Amino acid sequence: MAAKSTKKRARDNGRPVVIVESPAKAKTINKILGSGFVVKACFGHVRDLPPRAFGIDVDHDFAPTYRTIRGKAKVLTDLRGATRSASEVFLAPDPDREGEAIAWHLVQALRIPDGKARRVTFNEITRKGVLDAFHRPGEISMDRVNAQQARRFLDRIVGYKLSPLLWKKVGRGLSAGRVQSVAVRLLVEREREILAFKPEEYWTVTARLAKSEGPEFAAELAKVDGREPALKAGDESRKLVEELAKETYAVADVQQKERIEPAPPPFTTSLLQQQASIRHHFSAARTMRIAQGLYEGIRLGDEGEIGLITYMRTDSFRVADEALVECRDYIRQRFGERYLPETAILRAKRKGMQEAHEAIRPTSVARTPDEIRAFLTDDQYKLYRLIWNRFVASQMKAAEYRLTEAQIRAGRGLFVAKGRELRFDGYTAVLGHKSKEDSPLTRAEPAQSGLGAGGADDVPSSARVKGEQILPALAAGETLLLRDLLPTQHFTEPPPRYTEASLVR
């Protein structure tokens, strides 16, 4: 065994070493770079503040004391042996603050000379993405390292000050931190609102109307004697219904307007977590775990391991030019010129947004979800399909609707009927029509049917949009038939408890 290790070290001697976080990522990158590099995994962070001491000297510029994480000594020994004789050391953890801090800690722990360390980052683990990164290696960004350290110090400072108080006042074993403490406050404030809420009764009146021929449609009572109705009791509502049932129903006015509904942007991390929760009931942690696997690489038969999505921790809507070109070519071929905007859709940078990363997108639109389904687990397929559909839809033309509002007079009552008719499906050819379920404020069942090339999962049909109807052609002065008049009892409701999606939002 010792002889075998010696031979391996001799074979590796002088070759550049690449260090990444996970074995899966190392395997994918090793296949891309080939035998000219030694690719190693550090298994995440290798140093941290001591677990049983404060570890920060707040009186001396917040100087930290770092210790090797328990269980990582053997990893560091292996990495020291690999990097000692390496011509160069490429530090390739993820392209975010945590990844930057891991790279810095590796330099410190392995005592890598400044001239030997190179920082490489890639937004996608594809052959092009990896080789481009190695052609332009950079330096460790101390601004990012310090940003990570500041967050870590806050966790420690808040935790060490608040946790003992929790143990004394609430119970042993509880912990406080810079994030969960604020989240708990949000939950408590919402619960207090719910407990303080007192429901109030109110009634609505709906008329089922029709022309002499054709289907029925609904109209809601909007005004009585020119004012909004304040129906607080059943007796009052039933008395009004008895009165209105004897009246003649005639169209007083019809207004129509066109509405343009632009395509949604591609996913950021929080938007992906929200939609994965709504559509598949995935927790935020589960979503990120699946996305990490899709990013690091999936074996696609003879193609080998390929990263299927770009980096999944991002708050940016930016998309690489070559990805926009590929997506537009796909839309042109799959749906036709009618669905393609004249130019690529570029989203404005939001305040506070970091532009270092792209939005979350497939590394190649050509890999449709159904074509690679055989290589994915059910969870991977669901999440990849969500990301693929959203990205393709984000570069399609807007959906166009015709909105109709008819005012219908009945004695001293005025009813309003609203209709929405799809004139051009645009991006909904892939993503489907928006519905209440798309909001993270409610939890929806996953859609059961799909549209579009990838088999869209977040595709509720237009029939699922609450209250949506197509009105018949109506003209002012036209008399309608009253089919039914329905009073309905309601109670005001407290704000809902947070779902994981709405809390993330």
Side-chain angles (χ1 to χ4, degrees), residues 171-311:
R172 297 289 300 181
L174 297 174
S175 65
R178 108 194 116 78
V179 175
Q180 72 256 41
S181 301
V182 179
V184 169
R185 176 170 178 170
L186 289 173
L187 296 176
V188 169
E189 288 176 346
R190 177 57 59 88
E191 196 66 22
R192 285 173 176 167
E193 287 182 68
I194 293 170
L195 292 173
F197 184 82
K198 290 184 170 45
E200 295 181 5
E201 180 182 6
Y202 70 99
W203 289 70
T204 59
V205 178
T206 304
R208 301 294 305 178
L209 303 166
K211 300 177 69 166
S212 56
E213 294 181 0
E216 294 180 1
F217 62 93
E220 297 289 330
L221 180 63
K223 291 184 179 180
V224 177
D225 294 328
R227 297 188 299 274
E228 288 188 18
L231 303 175
K232 300 294 185 182
D235 291 343
E236 179 187 7
S237 302
R238 283 186 284 271
K239 184 178 178 182
L240 180 60
V241 165
E242 289 174 7
E243 175 191 333
L244 295 176
K246 301 171 186 176
E247 300 291 350
T248 299
Y249 286 72
V251 179
D253 186 39
V254 179
Q255 298 287 335
Q256 286 189 331
K257 61 181 179 180
E258 304 298 318
R259 192 180 83 185
I260 303 297
E261 189 175 274
F267 282 132
T268 59
T269 302
S270 63
L271 291 176
L272 176 63
Q273 289 172 332
Q274 290 168 44
Q275 284 301 309
S277 175
I278 291 164
R279 296 294 161 207
H280 303 303
H281 305 314
F282 288 175
S283 68
R286 183 178 175 187
T287 296
M288 297 309 287
R289 186 168 59 251
I290 300 165
Q292 184 84 34
L294 294 173
Y295 165 70
E296 291 187 346
I298 301 294
R299 184 171 183 80
L300 303 181
D302 295 338
E303 289 187 79
E305 281 79 7
I306 293 176
L308 295 180
I309 65 170
T310 53
Y311 192 56

Side-chain angles (χ1 to χ4, degrees), residues 448-462:
Q448 298 300 315
S449 61
L451 300 174
D457 179 74
D458 52 339
V459 184
S461 70
S462 58

Side-chain angles (χ1 to χ4, degrees), residues 6 28 34-35 65 80 118 131 141 143 170 179 250 292 304 376 383 393 469 499:
T6 302
T28 306
S35 59
T65 299
R80 282 193 193 98
R118 303 281 186 273
L131 293 181
S141 167
D143 284 344
V170 182
V179 175
Q292 184 84 34
L376 306 177
L383 197 68
Q469 59 183 339
T499 63

Side-chain angles (χ1 to χ4, degrees), residues 15-56:
R15 283 192 294 169
V17 171
V18 182
I19 304 177
V20 298
E21 289 115 319
S22 73
K25 190 173 175 182
K27 189 176 181 182
T28 306
I29 291 172
N30 202 13
K31 284 184 178 287
I32 294 170
L33 295 177
S35 59
F37 292 79
V38 177
V39 185
K40 296 280 190 177
C42 66
F43 300 88
H45 282 277
V46 294
R47 299 198 312 173
D48 196 8
L49 298 172
R52 289 182 170 79
F54 189 51
I56 303 169

